[in-house]
């Protein structure tokens, strides 16, 4: 039955769909239908609506996978649809109702992201944010080859600051009703590892994988490990 499940990957802030390339290759090698859907990075509500439409276009059951802020998006996108059967959080936020990504980042000490973010006014009172391109490799992708990290810095997508501060809308976030799996690195400089452990435990993660020394770009530096956890989720759901 594994072939009946489709994996839909959702990137987070300061990333883009190609960040999933290694994971896609690992899953496709196992015959798993997989695609990465764009994440506009404008607001949790509208981003989740976009992902929900992509998920419902599949025409069958889905495992929804989110990285970083993409975790907040899949947490909302899976609400109100019976298409999504499980959630995989990759170095990702799993907010409860009313929480936001900025709050969860600061709930535990250790994040240095704020020191590296650069704002660009949008003209409506909000800002687009990027990670300083010179600082990106060390902040975001410390265990990724430098040439690859520099490309990621150059192709990163800006996120609207409103999205990071928007309270999670759904009164019952999807991880309270769906099985979930978590994977993240102990060397993450964006989301403190204690915060990710907290969210995984709170969500009742069926399996939590902690990658020793891995950066926030765990799906780039450890695509096989991420792919293996997704395959375990598929096996469980099948």
């Amino acid at each position: 039955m594994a072939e009946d499940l489709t994996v839909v990957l959702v990137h987070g802030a300061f990333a883009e769909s190609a960040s999933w390339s290694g994971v896609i290759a690992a899953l496709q090698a196992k015959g798993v239908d997989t695609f990465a859907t764009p994440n506009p990075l404008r607001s949790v509500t509208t981003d989740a609506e976009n992902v929900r439409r992509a998920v419902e276009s599949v025409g069958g059951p889905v495992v929804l996978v989110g990285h970083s802020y993409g975790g907040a998006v899949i947490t909302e996108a899976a609400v109100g649809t019976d298409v999504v059967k499980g959630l995989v959080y990759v170095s990702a936020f799993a907010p409860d109702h009313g929480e936001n990504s900025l709050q969860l980042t600061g709930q535990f000490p250790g994040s240095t992201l704020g020191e590296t973010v650069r704002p660009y006014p949008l003209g409506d009172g909000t800002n687009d944010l990027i990670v300083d391109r010179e600082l990106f490799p060390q902040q975001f992708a410390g265990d990724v080859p430098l040439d690859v990290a520099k490309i990621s810095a150059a192709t990163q997508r800006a996120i609207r600051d409103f999205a990071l501060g928007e309270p999670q809308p759904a009164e019952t976030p999807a991880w309270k009703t769906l099985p979930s799996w978590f994977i993240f690195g102990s060397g993450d400089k964006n989301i403190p590892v204690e915060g990710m452990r907290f969210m995984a435990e709170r969500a009742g993660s069926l399996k939590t994988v902690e990658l020793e020394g891995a950066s926030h770009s765990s799906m780039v530096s450890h695509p096989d490990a991420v792919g293996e956890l997704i395959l375990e989720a598929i096996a469980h759901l099948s």
Side-chain angles (χ1 to χ4, degrees):
M1 292 180 62
E3 63 272 14
D4 297 330
L5 284 158
T6 299
V7 174
V8 179
L9 305 160
V10 181
H11 69 80
F14 320 119
E16 38 84 45
S17 291
S19 60
W20 292 112
S21 295
V23 175
I24 292 171
L27 292 174
Q28 289 184 343
K30 297 293 186 180
V32 178
D33 287 336
T34 308
F35 69 91
T37 191
N39 185 4
L41 307 178
R42 302 294 88 189
S43 77
V44 174
T45 302
T46 58
D47 294 343
E49 288 173 358
N50 279 309
V51 170
R52 189 180 296 115
R53 284 194 290 269
V55 161
E56 292 179 344
S57 75
V58 170
V62 164
V63 178
L64 200 47
V65 183
H67 170 247
S68 192
Y69 162 79
V73 174
I74 69 169
T75 296
E76 183 68 17
V79 174
T81 176
D82 59 2
V83 174
V84 179
K85 303 303 181 183
L87 304 167
V88 181
Y89 292 87
V90 182
S91 303
F93 295 107
D96 204 345
H97 172 65
E99 294 179 342
N100 63 60
S101 297
L102 287 177
Q103 172 190 350
L104 288 167
T105 298
Q107 187 166 333
F108 297 87
S111 176
T112 55
L113 178 63
E115 304 164 20
T116 69
V117 169
R118 305 290 179 256
Y120 296 89
L122 292 174
D124 63 355
T126 66
N127 299 282
D128 257 351
L129 307 175
I130 66 164
V131 175
D132 186 294
R133 294 182 183 92
E134 294 297 320
L135 302 176
F136 185 101
Q138 179 181 359
Q139 174 64 40
F140 205 88
D143 61 342
V144 174
L146 184 58
D147 58 339
V148 176
K150 285 182 175 180
I151 292 172
S152 297
T155 61
Q156 66 174 297
R157 294 188 58 184
I159 186 167
R160 184 170 170 240
D161 53 8
F162 176 80
L164 293 175
E166 181 185 2
Q168 197 72 18
E171 291 189 9
T172 304
W175 50 260
K176 289 190 175 181
T177 60
L178 293 172
S180 62
W181 293 259
F182 284 71
I183 184 168
F184 49 83
S186 64
D188 196 311
K189 295 183 178 181
N190 283 22
I191 308 173
V193 64
E194 290 84 358
M196 285 185 284
R197 290 169 182 157
F198 163 76
M199 289 183 281
E201 182 176 355
R202 180 175 68 176
S205 173
L206 293 185
K207 183 173 182 178
T208 300
V209 177
E210 189 169 321
L211 301 166
E212 181 63 31
S215 71
H216 192 60
S217 295
S218 57
M219 71 292 191
V220 178
S221 59
H222 293 80
D224 290 339
V226 173
E228 182 59 36
L229 185 63
I230 295 170
L231 288 171
E232 289 189 33
I234 291 171
H236 174 87
L237 295 168
S238 296

